[in-house]
Amino acid sequence: MAVSDAGSVGFSSYFAQLLGAPEPAFRLLFTILLGYPLALLHRYFLFGKPSVLQNLFFVSCGLSLGFYNYGFDMVHSVACVCVMYLILVTIGGTFISVITSFIFFMGYLLVGYYVTGTEEYDIKWSMPHCVLTLRLIGLSCDVFDGQKPQETLSNEQKKTALKKCPSLLEIAGHAYFFGGFMVGPQFPMKRYLDFIQGNYSEKAFMGKPSCISAGFKSLGLGILILSIYQIGIIFIPERILLSDDYLEFPLWKKLLIMALFGKMALYKYIAIWLIAEGSCILTGMTYNGTDGNGNDLWDGCTNVKLWDFTTTTTFQGGIRSFNCNTNLWLGQYVYKRMKFLGNRFISQAAALLFLAAWHGLHSGYYICFLNEFIVMYFEKDFEFFLTTRLPKLKELLLQSALKFPVRIFMKVYMDVMMGFCLVPFVYLSWNRYLLVYNSIYYLGYIIYFGWPVLSPVMKILVPKAKDLYISPNNKGLKPDEVLNLINKFRFLEEENLPVEIDSDSNDDGASEPENAPIPGPSNTHDPSCETPAGIKTSTIAPCLSTPQIETRASCSPVNLQQEIVQAVNNLTCSVFFFLEQLSFVQASSHVEDSPVMKNPTGNGCSSATLV
């Protein structure tokens, strides 16, 4: 049944015309807003009641809201939920069940895209179905992980693994939960079961629960971003890059408009995610432990870190703060389970290819995620070039009075190139996004494809730095050894390898050989370089298992920094400040400060992967 045939056509059409929005878009927004009264209804009448009643409530709400938007096309999601249950009760917990689920649900989604797809971005039944696809594939992986020995699981897998197969009603309740059915966020079955079984009850009934204010704060932020988007598209409409006027603008003006275009393209997603997240927070399902001051955290289903996304000056920061739960899902269920390939870049490329296919069949999705891949490669390789060959220039740019204009330049660069990367995602068809790229002379591709050609020449002309930072008394590690330690710590952080600070290492502990090579960006999951003094690494977990990060519970950030200083022979304050600027301290204290490590119930986007 077509969208216009379902639900109250007169009501939806009237308000859609009043707001100047397409009717399917208004239906979607209205459906997400209905999550707030439904969340309050559940909180005051059903929370703490038998899980069967709660599951029935979520299933009935989800199916009703889905029918309002998509009519009898909801039969597709019902069929997939039933197939998921049949897979689990027959071959659940086996590797075959994971492969079967992946092939069937992704295949079903791609066929749906083929049948319903047009040249535009369509709000049809395939939109919530893509959310359901990840949820069901993740469920099959969680049941599979639950059958493996506990000691072989990573920390992430231990939090989501299921020892037994959920019932059909539990699978349906998880799938049709009104806060995440239409547009996300993603959350594992384990979190849902903990929620309906009352594991967070002390946060719901002890006084005035803080989740109420947090939920409405998320709603307010969502409405604010949506208002900015509605005002912004008056001046920067979605089709502006295809207009004749745009093609006549000078290059600098085209790039400025492209940056604003990219912001508007992302704001509509951010607004919807914030509004949807607010209803999840109201139910109490997003409880994620407490912070250092004992305040409750409700970021267990956070899909966007708004402040980080707004202020970041790097693509890495932008990716980590946007669509967090999807990135977390992709890292846990795709990227980290491909370690058997033995190559980090191949694993990342395969994960991005999966992500593009999950979005749809249009070529624009694949070009967009290709753009992400080459931009991230350029950013990391260029930073490594500055760190190892021009460290004094890097310090000058980041520590002197130049840091403010440099930061402004980096922010403008990121916004412009973010808009460049998003052009195919918005326009979908090759004839449209190539028209835009041609109008700016393919500037982004000249930069990103030109760097691999230029960088070997630059590395010949600019040798590795020899005189970096040596303590005034001429003691401590040599410059090459300092760089070795920095880059190995950063590699361990990027690869999420097991890291343990050795408290037994002393000032006279062994350091690396004097002529040890300075490692560059590694192409493999298994680092071939030697382990720095004071650091212990364990072997990489086998396929379908992710490595763990170990830390001592009694180790505070201050003590951790002191141990690091001892591990590098009491480097002077100037060297320590230099290491901190290069994210050495952050890479070490990240394990201690991670909300996921502190809050075993959480799966917040703080643990999201680099994708």
Side-chain angles (χ1 to χ4, degrees):
M1 177 180 291
V3 172
S4 59
D5 295 333
S8 304
V9 176
F11 166 80
S12 301
S13 300
Y14 173 76
F15 280 98
Q17 294 175 4
L18 185 65
L19 297 174
E23 185 178 345
F26 171 78
R27 287 174 179 267
L28 177 63
L29 178 60
F30 181 67
T31 298
I32 296 173
L33 289 172
L34 282 177
Y36 286 83
L38 292 175
L40 293 175
L41 180 64
H42 173 268
R43 163 168 293 282
Y44 291 112
F45 295 100
L46 289 174
F47 192 91
K49 297 297 189 294
S51 58
V52 173
L53 293 179
Q54 297 184 65
N55 283 320
L56 288 174
F57 175 73
F58 293 136
V59 172
S60 59
C61 289
L63 288 175
S64 300
L65 295 175
F67 183 82
Y68 168 71
N69 283 270
Y70 310 112
F72 288 106
D73 284 338
M74 284 296 296
V75 69
H76 297 288
S77 64
V78 174
C80 286
V81 168
C82 294
V83 170
M84 180 77 265
Y85 179 70
L86 291 176
I87 291 175
L88 292 181
V89 297
T90 53
I91 57 174
T94 65
F95 182 70
I96 298 298
S97 68
V98 175
I99 298 299
T100 302
S101 301
F102 184 92
I103 294 175
F104 178 82
F105 296 122
M106 274 301 294
Y108 199 106
L109 178 65
L110 293 178
V111 171
Y113 284 147
Y114 179 79
V115 173
T116 63
T118 65
E119 293 298 313
E120 307 297 332
Y121 185 84
D122 304 305
I123 300 180
K124 296 182 178 179
W125 66 266
S126 56
M127 188 189 70
H129 200 86
C130 73
V131 178
L132 178 65
T133 297
L134 297 191
R135 198 160 292 174
L136 296 180
I137 293 176
L139 174 58
S140 66
C141 293
D142 292 339
V143 175
F144 172 66
D145 292 338
Q147 312 312 308
K148 295 190 292 187
Q150 188 77 359
E151 60 273 11
T152 65
L153 301 179
S154 69
N155 288 338
E156 289 178 335
Q157 292 171 334
K158 289 177 181 178
K159 297 168 191 169
T160 59
L162 299 171
K163 294 295 185 181
K164 62 178 182 178
C165 171
S167 67
L168 177 60
L169 188 58
E170 289 172 334
I171 296 174
H174 178 228
Y176 293 117
F177 178 76
F178 54 79
F181 167 59
M182 300 297 291
V183 295
Q186 291 292 339
F187 52 88
M189 172 66 82
K190 185 66 165 57
R191 173 175 286 277
Y192 175 76
L193 293 178
D194 287 342
F195 166 62
I196 64 173
Q197 291 168 5
N199 291 352
Y200 308 143
S201 59
E202 71 279 5
K203 297 303 175 185
F205 296 115
M206 290 180 61
K208 182 180 179 181
S210 58
C211 64
I212 293 182
S213 58
F216 283 108
K217 177 182 177 181
S218 183
L219 172 63
L221 287 174
I223 293 176
L224 174 62
I225 298 298
L226 186 61
S227 301
I228 295 175
Y229 168 75
Q230 286 297 121
I231 296 173
I233 60 175
I234 297 175
F235 304 97
I236 310 292
E238 190 174 275
R239 298 288 177 173
I240 189 172
L241 303 189
L242 301 176
S243 65
D244 293 334
D245 291 338
Y246 178 82
L247 299 178
E248 298 298 326
F249 288 149
L251 180 60
W252 69 268
K253 193 171 184 179
K254 290 178 182 177
L255 296 178
L256 178 61
I257 294 175
M258 183 173 288
L260 298 174
F261 161 85
K263 286 290 186 183
M264 294 301 105
L266 295 180
Y267 276 171
K268 63 180 177 182
Y269 295 101
I270 293 175
I272 291 297
W273 288 339
L274 287 172
I275 295 174
E277 181 189 344
S279 63
C280 295
I281 295 174
L282 277 184
T283 64
M285 190 185 67
T286 64
Y287 179 66
N288 204 22
T290 57
D291 61 16
N293 298 321
N295 300 316
D296 294 333
L297 294 174
W298 300 101
D299 58 356
C301 294
T302 295
N303 220 16
V304 60
K305 294 181 177 180
L306 187 57
W307 178 253
D308 293 345
F309 177 80
T310 304
T311 59
T312 185
T313 58
T314 65
F315 275 88
Q316 182 71 33
I319 291 172
R320 284 181 173 174
S321 59
F322 182 82
N323 206 0
C324 300
N325 278 284
T326 301
N327 289 338
L328 177 66
W329 188 99
L330 190 69
Q332 181 174 348
Y333 295 108
V334 179
Y335 175 75
K336 292 182 180 179
R337 295 175 188 259
M338 302 181 71
K339 287 185 179 291
F340 65 92
L341 295 176
N343 188 293
R344 179 160 54 96
F345 289 120
I346 294 178
S347 298
Q348 185 178 0
L352 290 175
L353 179 62
F354 170 85
L355 193 59
W358 176 70
H359 277 86
L361 300 177
H362 294 289
S363 63
Y365 294 129
Y366 299 85
I367 298 300
C368 176
F369 290 105
L370 170 65
N371 291 344
E372 177 183 332
F373 182 82
I374 61 177
V375 167
M376 290 303 303
Y377 175 84
F378 167 80
E379 186 174 278
K380 290 183 177 181
D381 199 52
F382 186 75
E383 181 190 6
F384 187 81
F385 177 84
L386 289 179
T387 301
T388 57
R389 297 173 186 273
L390 296 171
K392 293 184 179 180
L393 174 61
K394 181 176 180 179
E395 184 195 18
L396 176 66
L397 295 176
L398 296 179
Q399 299 298 327
S400 67
L402 294 175
K403 64 181 179 181
F404 296 108
V406 167
R407 186 173 179 85
I408 293 173
F409 171 80
M410 291 175 63
K411 183 61 179 175
V412 173
Y413 156 79
M414 181 203 164
D415 288 344
V416 170
M417 290 298 105
M418 183 69 77
F420 175 88
C421 293
L422 288 172
V423 167
F425 191 91
V426 175
Y427 291 143
L428 300 178
S429 300
W430 65 269
N431 58 318
R432 289 187 285 194
Y433 59 75
L434 287 184
L435 176 65
V436 178
Y437 283 162
N438 184 65
S439 69
I440 60 170
Y441 313 109
Y442 299 91
L443 179 62
Y445 292 127
I446 293 176
I447 296 174
Y448 301 128
F449 285 121
W451 173 251
V453 177
L454 181 63
S455 61
V457 179
M458 295 289 292
K459 291 175 182 178
I460 294 175
L461 297 177
V462 183
K464 292 180 180 179
K466 297 298 182 182
D467 299 318
L468 291 178
Y469 286 83
I470 303 179
S471 57
N473 57 5
N474 203 26
K475 295 181 180 180
L477 296 179
K478 294 181 173 60
D480 282 354
E481 296 169 350
V482 173
L483 273 179
N484 263 319
L485 198 56
I486 294 170
N487 289 294
K488 287 173 185 177
F489 254 105
R490 297 176 68 191
F491 177 84
L492 292 173
E493 183 197 28
E494 288 183 4
E495 284 298 323
N496 206 22
L497 292 177
V499 178
E500 180 182 354
I501 301 300
D502 184 7
S503 59
D504 296 329
S505 61
N506 51 46
D507 292 348
D508 298 326
S511 61
E512 291 190 358
E514 179 176 352
N515 298 322
I518 301 176
S522 173
N523 290 337
T524 62
H525 286 288
D526 189 5
S528 59
C529 54
E530 297 180 2
T531 304
I535 303 173
K536 296 178 180 179
T537 59
S538 60
T539 57
I540 298 179
C543 175
L544 296 177
S545 178
T546 56
Q548 304 178 24
I549 298 180
E550 302 175 3
T551 183
R552 297 183 303 166
S554 61
C555 185
S556 67
V558 175
N559 292 333
L560 186 60
Q561 292 180 6
Q562 292 174 350
E563 291 182 2
I564 294 171
V565 173
Q566 292 176 358
V568 295
N569 287 337
N570 295 320
L571 294 177
T572 61
C573 294
S574 60
V575 177
F576 184 81
F577 189 75
F578 174 62
L579 295 177
E580 185 178 21
Q581 184 59 46
L582 291 178
S583 301
F584 173 61
V585 174
Q586 289 88 335
S588 305
S589 62
H590 174 75
V591 177
E592 178 69 21
D593 295 337
S594 171
V596 176
M597 296 298 293
K598 290 183 178 179
N599 308 309
T601 60
N603 72 328
C605 70
S606 57
S607 63
T609 62
L610 57 88
V611 180

